[in-house]
Amino acid sequence: MDKRIFPLALGGLAIGTTEFVIMGLLPDVAHSLDISIPQAGHLISAYAFGVVVGAPILVAYAAKFPPKRILIFLMIASTLFNGLSALVNDYYTMMAVRFLSGLPHGAFFGVGAVVSSRLAKPGKQAQSIAMMFTGLTVANLAMVPFVTWLGHQLSWRYAFGVVALIGLLTLIFLKFLLPYMDSLRTTTLKDELEFFKTQKSWHIIAITAIGFGGLFAWFSYITPLMTTVSKFPTDFIAYIMILAGAGMVIGNFLGAIMADRMRPALAAAILLSAMILALVGVFFFSENKIASLILTFVCGVLSMAVGTPVNIIMLRSAKNSEMMAAAFMQAAFNVGNSIGALFGGIPLEFGLSYNYPSLVGAGLALTGFVLCLTFIRKYKPVI
Protein backbone atom coordinates (compact mmCIF):
# COMPACT_ATOMS: atom_id res chain seq x y z
CA MET A 1 0.00 0.00 0.00
CA ASP A 2 1.13 3.52 -0.82
CA LYS A 3 1.97 5.02 2.59
CA ARG A 4 0.08 8.17 1.59
CA ILE A 5 -3.15 6.15 1.45
CA PHE A 6 -2.51 4.37 4.77
CA PRO A 7 -4.13 7.14 6.91
CA LEU A 8 -7.27 6.87 4.78
CA ALA A 9 -7.33 3.09 5.26
CA LEU A 10 -6.86 3.54 9.02
CA GLY A 11 -9.76 5.99 9.08
CA GLY A 12 -11.77 3.38 7.18
CA LEU A 13 -10.90 0.90 9.91
CA ALA A 14 -12.39 3.21 12.57
CA ILE A 15 -15.48 4.05 10.54
CA GLY A 16 -16.02 0.48 9.37
CA THR A 17 -15.79 -0.79 12.93
CA THR A 18 -18.35 1.65 14.31
CA GLU A 19 -20.73 1.03 11.40
CA PHE A 20 -20.73 -2.78 11.62
CA VAL A 21 -19.94 -3.67 15.22
CA ILE A 22 -23.40 -2.84 16.51
CA MET A 23 -24.79 -5.61 14.29
CA GLY A 24 -22.80 -8.20 16.22
CA LEU A 25 -23.81 -6.67 19.54
CA LEU A 26 -27.47 -5.96 18.77
CA PRO A 27 -28.92 -8.24 21.50
CA ASP A 28 -26.46 -6.83 24.06
CA VAL A 29 -27.39 -3.23 23.23
CA ALA A 30 -31.10 -4.08 23.24
CA HIS A 31 -30.84 -5.69 26.67
CA SER A 32 -28.74 -2.86 28.12
CA LEU A 33 -31.11 -0.12 26.90
CA ASP A 34 -34.23 -2.20 27.70
CA ILE A 35 -35.55 -2.24 24.13
CA SER A 36 -36.45 -4.93 21.58
CA ILE A 37 -34.01 -6.18 18.95
CA PRO A 38 -35.99 -4.54 16.09
CA GLN A 39 -35.86 -1.27 18.04
CA ALA A 40 -32.12 -1.70 18.45
CA GLY A 41 -32.00 -2.14 14.67
CA HIS A 42 -33.24 1.46 14.41
CA LEU A 43 -29.87 2.55 15.85
CA ILE A 44 -28.32 1.16 12.66
CA SER A 45 -30.76 3.22 10.63
CA ALA A 46 -30.01 6.34 12.70
CA TYR A 47 -26.28 6.05 11.94
CA ALA A 48 -27.02 5.50 8.26
CA PHE A 49 -29.34 8.52 8.20
CA GLY A 50 -26.51 10.59 9.67
CA VAL A 51 -24.30 9.51 6.78
CA VAL A 52 -26.99 10.42 4.26
CA VAL A 53 -27.43 13.90 5.74
CA GLY A 54 -23.77 14.58 6.48
CA ALA A 55 -22.10 13.44 3.26
CA PRO A 56 -23.40 16.04 0.78
CA ILE A 57 -23.76 18.89 3.29
CA LEU A 58 -20.28 18.59 4.79
CA VAL A 59 -18.63 18.12 1.40
CA ALA A 60 -20.50 21.12 -0.02
CA TYR A 61 -19.25 23.27 2.84
CA ALA A 62 -15.72 21.87 3.16
CA ALA A 63 -14.73 21.31 -0.47
CA LYS A 64 -13.16 24.77 -0.69
CA PHE A 65 -10.55 23.71 1.90
CA PRO A 66 -7.49 21.48 1.30
CA PRO A 67 -8.53 17.80 1.61
CA LYS A 68 -6.02 17.10 4.38
CA ARG A 69 -7.65 19.71 6.60
CA ILE A 70 -11.12 18.38 5.77
CA LEU A 71 -10.18 14.79 6.63
CA ILE A 72 -8.64 15.77 9.96
CA PHE A 73 -11.77 17.74 10.92
CA LEU A 74 -14.04 14.84 9.96
CA MET A 75 -12.00 12.34 11.96
CA ILE A 76 -12.08 14.61 15.03
CA ALA A 77 -15.89 14.66 14.82
CA SER A 78 -16.10 10.89 14.30
CA THR A 79 -13.80 10.20 17.25
CA LEU A 80 -15.75 12.53 19.55
CA PHE A 81 -19.21 11.11 18.83
CA ASN A 82 -18.08 7.50 18.91
CA GLY A 83 -16.53 8.17 22.30
CA LEU A 84 -19.88 9.54 23.46
CA SER A 85 -21.63 6.41 22.15
CA ALA A 86 -19.79 4.44 24.84
CA LEU A 87 -21.28 6.60 27.59
CA VAL A 88 -24.98 6.87 26.69
CA ASN A 89 -27.55 5.20 28.94
CA ASP A 90 -30.93 5.66 27.22
CA TYR A 91 -32.39 4.77 23.84
CA TYR A 92 -33.31 8.21 22.49
CA THR A 93 -29.99 9.78 23.42
CA MET A 94 -28.25 6.83 21.79
CA MET A 95 -30.30 7.42 18.64
CA ALA A 96 -29.15 11.05 18.57
CA VAL A 97 -25.49 10.19 19.19
CA ARG A 98 -25.48 7.46 16.54
CA PHE A 99 -26.95 9.97 14.07
CA LEU A 100 -24.17 12.44 14.91
CA SER A 101 -21.56 9.67 14.64
CA GLY A 102 -22.72 9.02 11.09
CA LEU A 103 -22.41 12.62 9.89
CA PRO A 104 -18.63 12.51 9.10
CA HIS A 105 -18.69 8.99 7.62
CA GLY A 106 -19.77 9.68 4.06
CA ALA A 107 -17.77 12.87 3.72
CA PHE A 108 -14.59 11.10 4.90
CA PHE A 109 -14.94 8.33 2.35
CA GLY A 110 -16.14 10.74 -0.32
CA VAL A 111 -13.11 13.01 0.03
CA GLY A 112 -10.84 10.00 0.56
CA ALA A 113 -12.04 8.31 -2.65
CA VAL A 114 -11.17 11.36 -4.73
CA VAL A 115 -7.79 11.79 -3.00
CA SER A 116 -7.02 8.10 -3.60
CA SER A 117 -7.93 8.33 -7.28
CA ARG A 118 -5.72 11.43 -7.68
CA LEU A 119 -2.78 9.61 -6.07
CA ALA A 120 -3.27 6.51 -8.25
CA LYS A 121 -1.04 5.42 -11.12
CA PRO A 122 -2.62 5.52 -14.59
CA GLY A 123 -5.13 2.70 -15.10
CA LYS A 124 -5.13 1.81 -11.39
CA GLN A 125 -7.88 4.13 -10.18
CA ALA A 126 -10.22 1.36 -9.01
CA GLN A 127 -7.44 -0.49 -7.20
CA SER A 128 -6.28 2.69 -5.45
CA ILE A 129 -9.80 3.32 -4.17
CA ALA A 130 -9.96 -0.33 -3.10
CA MET A 131 -6.77 0.21 -1.10
CA MET A 132 -8.48 3.01 0.80
CA PHE A 133 -11.38 0.68 1.53
CA THR A 134 -8.95 -1.95 2.84
CA GLY A 135 -9.47 -0.44 6.29
CA LEU A 136 -13.19 -1.12 5.96
CA THR A 137 -12.56 -4.75 5.04
CA VAL A 138 -9.97 -5.26 7.79
CA ALA A 139 -12.53 -3.82 10.20
CA ASN A 140 -14.86 -6.66 9.31
CA LEU A 141 -12.11 -9.29 9.22
CA ALA A 142 -10.40 -8.51 12.50
CA MET A 143 -11.59 -5.45 14.41
CA VAL A 144 -15.34 -6.07 14.37
CA PRO A 145 -14.94 -9.69 15.55
CA PHE A 146 -12.49 -8.56 18.24
CA VAL A 147 -14.69 -5.82 19.64
CA THR A 148 -17.74 -8.08 19.29
CA TRP A 149 -15.97 -10.61 21.48
CA LEU A 150 -14.88 -7.82 23.83
CA GLY A 151 -18.44 -6.54 24.00
CA HIS A 152 -19.84 -9.97 24.83
CA GLN A 153 -17.20 -10.56 27.49
CA LEU A 154 -17.25 -7.14 29.15
CA SER A 155 -19.70 -4.58 27.76
CA TRP A 156 -20.76 -3.33 24.34
CA ARG A 157 -19.55 0.11 25.47
CA TYR A 158 -15.93 -1.00 25.16
CA ALA A 159 -16.48 -1.48 21.41
CA PHE A 160 -17.10 2.22 20.89
CA GLY A 161 -14.18 3.09 23.16
CA VAL A 162 -11.90 1.08 20.86
CA VAL A 163 -13.30 2.96 17.84
CA ALA A 164 -12.47 6.28 19.50
CA LEU A 165 -8.91 5.07 20.13
CA ILE A 166 -8.46 4.12 16.46
CA GLY A 167 -9.78 7.55 15.55
CA LEU A 168 -7.05 9.19 17.62
CA LEU A 169 -4.39 7.10 15.86
CA THR A 170 -5.87 8.06 12.49
CA LEU A 171 -5.51 11.74 13.33
CA ILE A 172 -1.79 11.26 14.00
CA PHE A 173 -1.20 9.46 10.69
CA LEU A 174 -3.28 11.98 8.74
CA LYS A 175 -1.10 14.72 10.16
CA PHE A 176 2.22 13.13 9.22
CA LEU A 177 1.63 10.89 6.16
CA LEU A 178 -1.11 12.43 4.03
CA PRO A 179 0.41 14.91 1.57
CA TYR A 180 -0.87 18.43 1.19
CA MET A 181 -3.13 18.95 -1.81
CA ASP A 182 -4.91 22.06 -3.01
CA SER A 183 -8.67 22.20 -2.82
CA LEU A 184 -10.26 19.52 -5.01
CA ARG A 185 -13.08 21.81 -6.08
CA THR A 186 -12.55 22.81 -9.72
CA THR A 187 -15.98 24.38 -10.28
CA THR A 188 -18.55 26.28 -8.24
CA LEU A 189 -20.91 24.41 -5.93
CA LYS A 190 -23.78 25.33 -8.24
CA ASP A 191 -21.97 23.74 -11.19
CA GLU A 192 -21.16 20.64 -9.14
CA LEU A 193 -24.82 20.16 -8.30
CA GLU A 194 -25.86 20.41 -11.95
CA PHE A 195 -25.01 16.76 -12.48
CA PHE A 196 -27.52 15.80 -9.80
CA LYS A 197 -30.31 17.34 -11.84
CA THR A 198 -29.86 14.55 -14.39
CA GLN A 199 -31.66 11.21 -14.50
CA LYS A 200 -28.32 9.45 -14.86
CA SER A 201 -27.08 10.54 -11.44
CA TRP A 202 -30.20 9.35 -9.63
CA HIS A 203 -30.20 6.12 -11.61
CA ILE A 204 -26.73 5.33 -10.21
CA ILE A 205 -27.80 6.35 -6.71
CA ALA A 206 -30.91 4.14 -6.91
CA ILE A 207 -28.86 1.12 -8.01
CA THR A 208 -26.54 1.63 -5.06
CA ALA A 209 -29.13 2.37 -2.38
CA ILE A 210 -31.61 -0.36 -3.28
CA GLY A 211 -29.08 -2.99 -4.31
CA PHE A 212 -26.95 -2.53 -1.20
CA GLY A 213 -30.10 -2.52 0.92
CA GLY A 214 -30.42 -6.20 0.12
CA LEU A 215 -27.19 -7.09 1.88
CA PHE A 216 -27.90 -4.90 4.88
CA ALA A 217 -31.27 -6.58 5.36
CA TRP A 218 -29.27 -9.76 5.95
CA PHE A 219 -26.26 -8.34 7.78
CA SER A 220 -28.20 -6.13 10.20
CA TYR A 221 -29.72 -9.21 11.83
CA ILE A 222 -26.86 -11.67 11.39
CA THR A 223 -26.42 -12.27 15.13
CA PRO A 224 -30.01 -13.41 15.90
CA LEU A 225 -30.04 -15.29 12.57
CA MET A 226 -27.00 -17.31 13.56
CA THR A 227 -28.05 -17.91 17.16
CA THR A 228 -31.76 -18.66 16.72
CA VAL A 229 -31.96 -20.20 13.21
CA SER A 230 -28.50 -21.69 12.65
CA LYS A 231 -28.24 -22.54 16.38
CA PHE A 232 -24.69 -21.32 16.93
CA PRO A 233 -23.77 -20.34 20.51
CA THR A 234 -23.41 -16.62 21.20
CA ASP A 235 -19.67 -17.03 21.85
CA PHE A 236 -19.28 -18.24 18.25
CA ILE A 237 -20.57 -14.99 16.72
CA ALA A 238 -17.13 -13.36 16.78
CA TYR A 239 -15.77 -16.17 14.59
CA ILE A 240 -18.70 -15.83 12.21
CA MET A 241 -17.91 -12.12 11.90
CA ILE A 242 -14.30 -13.05 11.04
CA LEU A 243 -15.63 -15.31 8.29
CA ALA A 244 -17.81 -12.51 6.90
CA GLY A 245 -14.86 -10.13 7.16
CA ALA A 246 -12.59 -12.52 5.25
CA GLY A 247 -15.15 -12.54 2.48
CA MET A 248 -15.21 -8.74 2.47
CA VAL A 249 -11.42 -8.55 2.11
CA ILE A 250 -11.56 -10.81 -0.95
CA GLY A 251 -14.62 -9.02 -2.30
CA ASN A 252 -12.95 -5.63 -2.06
CA PHE A 253 -10.17 -6.66 -4.44
CA LEU A 254 -12.46 -8.80 -6.61
CA GLY A 255 -14.67 -5.78 -7.27
CA ALA A 256 -11.65 -3.60 -8.08
CA ILE A 257 -10.22 -6.13 -10.54
CA MET A 258 -13.59 -6.56 -12.25
CA ALA A 259 -14.08 -2.78 -12.48
CA ASP A 260 -10.63 -2.32 -14.08
CA ARG A 261 -11.02 -5.21 -16.55
CA MET A 262 -14.61 -4.78 -17.76
CA ARG A 263 -17.24 -2.10 -17.91
CA PRO A 264 -18.04 -1.23 -14.27
CA ALA A 265 -21.78 -1.32 -14.91
CA LEU A 266 -21.50 -4.89 -16.24
CA ALA A 267 -19.41 -5.87 -13.20
CA ALA A 268 -22.07 -4.40 -10.91
CA ALA A 269 -24.85 -6.31 -12.69
CA ILE A 270 -22.98 -9.62 -12.38
CA LEU A 271 -22.36 -9.07 -8.68
CA LEU A 272 -25.96 -8.03 -7.97
CA SER A 273 -27.26 -11.18 -9.67
CA ALA A 274 -24.95 -13.26 -7.47
CA MET A 275 -26.22 -11.34 -4.45
CA ILE A 276 -29.82 -12.34 -5.20
CA LEU A 277 -28.89 -16.02 -5.30
CA ALA A 278 -26.84 -15.81 -2.11
CA LEU A 279 -29.61 -14.11 -0.12
CA VAL A 280 -32.21 -16.61 -1.31
CA GLY A 281 -29.77 -19.29 -0.20
CA VAL A 282 -29.58 -17.73 3.27
CA PHE A 283 -33.37 -17.89 3.52
CA PHE A 284 -33.63 -21.57 2.58
CA PHE A 285 -30.46 -23.07 4.05
CA SER A 286 -29.64 -21.17 7.27
CA GLU A 287 -30.84 -24.06 9.43
CA ASN A 288 -27.88 -26.07 8.13
CA LYS A 289 -24.78 -24.87 9.96
CA ILE A 290 -22.27 -25.66 7.22
CA ALA A 291 -24.41 -24.05 4.51
CA SER A 292 -24.97 -21.08 6.79
CA LEU A 293 -21.22 -20.51 7.20
CA ILE A 294 -20.56 -20.86 3.46
CA LEU A 295 -23.31 -18.36 2.65
CA THR A 296 -21.98 -15.95 5.26
CA PHE A 297 -18.61 -15.95 3.50
CA VAL A 298 -20.20 -15.56 0.05
CA CYS A 299 -22.40 -12.67 1.19
CA GLY A 300 -19.32 -11.06 2.73
CA VAL A 301 -17.54 -11.26 -0.63
CA LEU A 302 -20.47 -9.71 -2.48
CA SER A 303 -21.05 -6.98 0.11
CA MET A 304 -17.71 -5.33 -0.72
CA ALA A 305 -17.25 -6.44 -4.33
CA VAL A 306 -20.14 -4.39 -5.67
CA GLY A 307 -18.94 -1.19 -3.99
CA THR A 308 -15.97 -0.32 -6.22
CA PRO A 309 -17.73 -0.77 -9.60
CA VAL A 310 -20.61 1.52 -8.68
CA ASN A 311 -18.18 4.10 -7.25
CA ILE A 312 -16.24 4.08 -10.54
CA ILE A 313 -19.48 4.47 -12.52
CA MET A 314 -20.31 7.59 -10.55
CA LEU A 315 -16.81 9.10 -10.66
CA ARG A 316 -16.58 8.60 -14.43
CA SER A 317 -20.04 10.07 -14.94
CA ALA A 318 -19.47 13.18 -12.81
CA LYS A 319 -16.27 14.56 -14.30
CA ASN A 320 -16.67 18.09 -12.91
CA SER A 321 -18.04 17.17 -9.49
CA GLU A 322 -16.07 14.13 -8.35
CA MET A 323 -15.98 14.89 -4.64
CA MET A 324 -19.69 15.70 -4.42
CA ALA A 325 -20.41 12.57 -6.47
CA ALA A 326 -18.32 10.44 -4.10
CA ALA A 327 -20.16 11.97 -1.14
CA PHE A 328 -23.54 11.21 -2.69
CA MET A 329 -22.40 7.64 -3.25
CA GLN A 330 -21.58 7.25 0.43
CA ALA A 331 -25.01 8.64 1.21
CA ALA A 332 -26.51 6.10 -1.21
CA PHE A 333 -24.67 3.18 0.41
CA ASN A 334 -26.05 4.22 3.77
CA VAL A 335 -29.55 4.73 2.45
CA GLY A 336 -29.12 1.07 1.57
CA ASN A 337 -27.95 0.41 5.12
CA SER A 338 -31.01 2.16 6.52
CA ILE A 339 -33.45 0.58 4.05
CA GLY A 340 -32.03 -2.87 4.75
CA ALA A 341 -32.23 -2.56 8.53
CA LEU A 342 -35.70 -1.02 8.37
CA PHE A 343 -37.36 -3.30 5.82
CA GLY A 344 -35.47 -6.36 7.05
CA GLY A 345 -36.98 -5.80 10.48
CA ILE A 346 -40.59 -5.72 9.24
CA PRO A 347 -41.04 -9.53 9.11
CA LEU A 348 -39.65 -9.71 12.64
CA GLU A 349 -42.29 -7.27 13.88
CA PHE A 350 -44.88 -9.81 12.68
CA GLY A 351 -43.18 -12.64 14.54
CA LEU A 352 -41.53 -14.33 11.57
CA SER A 353 -38.17 -16.09 11.79
CA TYR A 354 -34.81 -14.31 11.53
CA ASN A 355 -34.13 -15.83 8.11
CA TYR A 356 -36.89 -13.68 6.60
CA PRO A 357 -34.83 -10.46 6.45
CA SER A 358 -32.62 -12.15 3.85
CA LEU A 359 -35.69 -12.82 1.70
CA VAL A 360 -36.54 -9.13 1.89
CA GLY A 361 -32.90 -8.48 0.97
CA ALA A 362 -33.17 -10.70 -2.11
CA GLY A 363 -36.11 -8.59 -3.27
CA LEU A 364 -34.12 -5.39 -2.82
CA ALA A 365 -31.11 -6.87 -4.64
CA LEU A 366 -33.38 -7.96 -7.51
CA THR A 367 -34.68 -4.41 -7.83
CA GLY A 368 -31.09 -3.10 -7.88
CA PHE A 369 -30.20 -5.66 -10.56
CA VAL A 370 -33.10 -4.60 -12.79
CA LEU A 371 -32.09 -0.95 -12.38
CA CYS A 372 -28.52 -1.88 -13.33
CA LEU A 373 -29.67 -3.64 -16.51
CA THR A 374 -31.74 -0.63 -17.55
CA PHE A 375 -28.71 1.61 -16.87
CA ILE A 376 -26.49 -0.54 -19.11
CA ARG A 377 -29.09 -0.47 -21.86
CA LYS A 378 -29.43 3.32 -21.69
CA TYR A 379 -25.77 4.32 -21.21
CA LYS A 380 -23.91 1.45 -22.90
CA PRO A 381 -21.80 3.73 -25.17
CA VAL A 382 -20.55 5.68 -22.15
CA ILE A 383 -20.11 3.35 -19.16
Side-chain angles (χ1 to χ4, degrees), residues 361-372:
L364 292 171
L366 175 61
T367 306
F369 173 70
V370 172
L371 287 169
C372 197

Side-chain angles (χ1 to χ4, degrees), residues 141-193:
L141 175 63
M143 192 55 64
V144 169
F146 168 69
V147 294
T148 298
W149 173 84
L150 187 67
H152 287 318
Q153 297 299 315
L154 300 176
S155 168
W156 59 268
R157 300 180 187 279
Y158 284 89
F160 293 107
V162 170
V163 171
L165 179 60
I166 300 171
L168 291 174
L169 291 173
T170 301
L171 287 169
I172 295 170
F173 283 102
L174 283 170
K175 173 69 175 175
F176 292 106
L177 290 185
L178 191 70
Y180 176 85
M181 299 173 69
D182 291 328
S183 170
L184 298 177
R185 174 169 285 165
T186 56
T187 60
T188 65
L189 176 60
K190 182 179 178 181
D191 290 337
E192 285 186 352
L193 293 174

Side-chain angles (χ1 to χ4, degrees), residues 240-313:
I240 293 172
M241 299 301 279
I242 290 174
L243 184 64
M248 290 178 185
V249 171
I250 294 172
N252 185 40
F253 292 103
L254 173 65
I257 291 169
M258 291 177 69
D260 278 337
R261 294 187 178 180
M262 66 177 71
R263 295 203 314 275
L266 178 60
I270 292 170
L271 292 166
L272 283 168
S273 64
M275 188 188 302
I276 298 165
L277 296 175
L279 290 170
V280 170
V282 171
F283 176 75
F284 282 109
F285 301 113
S286 284
E287 291 183 1
N288 182 296
K289 288 187 175 181
I290 295 176
S292 182
L293 291 175
I294 292 171
L295 288 165
T296 295
F297 176 78
V298 171
C299 287
V301 170
L302 296 170
S303 68
M304 286 302 297
V306 74
T308 300
V310 292
N311 267 307
I312 293 298
I313 293 169

Side-chain angles (χ1 to χ4, degrees), residues 40-236:
H42 296 164
L43 298 174
I44 300 171
S45 297
Y47 181 92
F49 185 57
V51 181
V52 173
V53 172
I57 292 176
L58 290 176
V59 166
Y61 172 75
K64 61 185 177 181
F65 298 106
K68 181 171 182 174
R69 188 185 303 179
I70 300 171
L71 291 166
I72 288 174
F73 167 77
L74 294 172
M75 189 48 59
I76 289 173
S78 178
T79 301
L80 172 64
F81 292 123
N82 278 296
L84 289 175
S85 296
L87 305 175
V88 172
N89 289 313
D90 70 274
Y91 174 58
Y92 292 105
T93 306
M94 187 65 168
M95 284 275 284
V97 172
R98 294 313 294 157
F99 170 79
L100 293 171
S101 299
L103 290 175
H105 174 132
F108 185 91
F109 279 127
V111 176
V114 179
V115 170
S116 297
S117 66
R118 295 287 178 88
L119 294 174
K121 296 178 181 179
K124 300 293 183 181
Q125 186 184 40
Q127 292 183 45
S128 182
I129 293 173
M131 281 293 179
M132 181 194 70
F133 282 107
T134 298
L136 191 62
T137 59
V138 171
N140 286 283
L141 175 63
M143 192 55 64
V144 169
F146 168 69
V147 294
T148 298
W149 173 84
L150 187 67
H152 287 318
Q153 297 299 315
L154 300 176
S155 168
W156 59 268
R157 300 180 187 279
Y158 284 89
F160 293 107
V162 170
V163 171
L165 179 60
I166 300 171
L168 291 174
L169 291 173
T170 301
L171 287 169
I172 295 170
F173 283 102
L174 283 170
K175 173 69 175 175
F176 292 106
L177 290 185
L178 191 70
Y180 176 85
M181 299 173 69
D182 291 328
S183 170
L184 298 177
R185 174 169 285 165
T186 56
T187 60
T188 65
L189 176 60
K190 182 179 178 181
D191 290 337
E192 285 186 352
L193 293 174
E194 283 297 315
F195 175 67
F196 296 97
K197 295 180 181 179
T198 66
Q199 290 185 2
K200 185 178 184 180
S201 65
W202 292 103
H203 202 147
I204 300 169
I205 289 169
I207 292 169
T208 307
I210 299 173
F212 245 70
L215 278 166
F216 277 106
W218 158 73
F219 200 54
S220 296
Y221 301 97
I222 188 171
T223 297
L225 170 70
M226 290 297 181
T227 55
T228 64
V229 179
S230 302
K231 304 297 183 183
F232 287 103
T234 301
D235 291 344
F236 202 76

Side-chain angles (χ1 to χ4, degrees), residues 32-44:
S32 175
L33 300 180
D34 195 25
I35 55 177
S36 68
I37 288 179
Q39 280 180 301
H42 296 164
L43 298 174
I44 300 171

